Amino acid sequence: MLKFLTQSITRFRHTGAIWPSGDALAREMTRTFREHDGPRRILEVGPGTGAFTRHILKELREHDEFDIVEINPAFCEQIERRLLQPFRRRNPGIPVRLHQSPIESADLGTAYDHIVCGLPFNNFEPSLVRQIFRQMLELLDADGDLVYFEIGRAHV
């Protein structure tokens, strides 16, 4: 939690929130995985400290593949240490790759069945939002699904 708050203050443009996503949102964002039969290729874009990542890891099965793209090095370090290292020890046959990179330049394959995105689009210029969505749609299988959310700002 402290890592998230620190990054929110120092890198708000990339973080976009002052509190990580909760379990209810994470369950909803990962719901489609449970409805998919057979091997799955999953991409998570902008995991932050890993609220959705934890739920995705719980759903992974043999023959699945999971790629994670995060631009923030502090979040990458935390995800790797707290989530991915323990998962890999328990599940050595399930490939999970963490890419410290913006999605626009990440070295990824194609044809993901599921893409989960937690990027703070309200913090980005419209041209960057279009570029990110173009990239995610290019990576998405024709029958795949892209799930994202956005935090609205209340006006008083």
Side-chain angles (χ1 to χ4, degrees):
M1 181 63 66
L2 183 58
K3 177 82 70 181
F4 191 91
L5 291 172
T6 302
Q7 292 301 303
S8 310
I9 293 165
T10 60
R11 297 181 62 151
F12 187 77
R13 183 175 177 274
H14 290 120
T15 309
I18 57 169
W19 204 259
S21 300
D23 280 343
L25 179 59
R27 276 191 303 277
E28 187 58 30
M29 293 286 288
T30 59
R31 180 178 46 83
T32 58
F33 305 161
R34 294 182 288 281
E35 299 168 356
H36 185 120
D37 293 326
R40 304 164 296 184
R41 290 199 72 228
I42 301 164
L43 173 63
E44 183 180 13
V45 181
T49 55
F52 303 158
T53 311
R54 276 188 281 286
H55 284 267
I56 295 169
L57 291 171
K58 288 178 190 175
E59 297 295 331
L60 291 179
R61 307 179 298 238
E62 189 176 333
H63 304 296
D64 286 346
E65 293 181 46
F66 182 29
D67 285 293
I68 305 162
V69 176
E70 172 58 55
I71 195 170
N72 185 312
F75 288 160
C76 284
E77 187 275 327
Q78 182 174 347
I79 288 169
E80 180 64 40
R81 186 175 35 82
R82 290 188 177 171
L83 300 175
L84 302 185
Q85 288 176 2
F87 178 85
R88 288 184 186 116
R89 281 193 295 273
R90 291 187 312 272
N91 304 279
I94 300 176
V96 176
R97 295 170 291 273
L98 176 60
H99 308 265
Q100 183 183 327
S101 170
I103 184 62
E104 312 90 287
S105 59
D107 185 19
L108 302 167
T110 58
Y112 286 94
D113 301 301
H114 306 281
I115 299 177
V116 173
C117 181
L119 293 176
F121 291 114
N122 279 333
N123 287 8
F124 303 156
E125 293 295 322
S127 60
L128 179 57
V129 173
R130 283 190 295 276
Q131 186 178 2
I132 291 168
F133 270 99
R134 223 178 275 122
Q135 178 67 22
M136 289 191 299
L137 291 171
E138 285 179 18
L139 293 168
L140 189 62
D141 184 75
D143 294 328
D145 58 71
L146 167 62
V147 181
Y148 66 97
F149 74 102
E150 189 55 60
I151 298 171
R153 290 184 171 81
H155 297 280
V156 182

